[in-house]
């Protein structure tokens, strides 16, 4: 698999060793130590890997990608008129942190839609 390095690590950059040959798994390598272990764009990309990669021979690796993100996911209480609500804490609150809400069906859940619109 091109971006999955094993042990839950999803690479943020890869190189193609030989672009003139038919694609095969050993023809890709991480370009740097940059990994997508965050709950923002890393989560978005991991959803696509989870859905579209063939995990039939390594289902434990599929779970490992999600487990590797857990330390980066920080809950925080958001005060509402109805009381506190636990939500995902932002990192820098930049627009890239919201990409997953624009591309995945998270906002189909009414409470997630209200929080996103807020």
């Amino acid at each position: 698999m091109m971006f999955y390095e094993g042990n839950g690590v999803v690479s943020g950059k890869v190189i193609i060793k030989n672009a003139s040959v038919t694609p095969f798994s050993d023809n890709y390598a991480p370009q740097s130590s940059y990994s997508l272990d965050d709950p923002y764009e890393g989560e978005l990309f991991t959803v696509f890997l989870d859905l579209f990669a063939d995990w039939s021979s390594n289902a434990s690796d599929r779970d490992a990608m999600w487990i590797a993100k857990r330390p980066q996911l920080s809950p925080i209480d958001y005060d509402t008129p109805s009381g506190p609500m636990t939500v995902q804490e932002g990192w820098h609150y930049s627009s890239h942190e919201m990409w997953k809400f624009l591309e995945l069906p998270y906002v189909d859940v009414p409470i997630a839609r209200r929080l996103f619109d807020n």
Side-chain angles (χ1 to χ4, degrees), residues 4-19:
Y4 185 67
E5 294 183 40
N7 298 318
V9 177
V10 177
S11 182
K13 294 181 180 180
V14 297
I15 58 169
I16 300 172
K17 297 174 186 176
N18 184 347

Side-chain angles (χ1 to χ4, degrees), residues 73-78 85-89 115:
L73 185 58
S74 301
I76 189 168
D77 285 335
Y78 176 72
M85 176 186 299
T86 303
V87 297
Q88 176 182 322
E89 183 176 30
L115 285 168

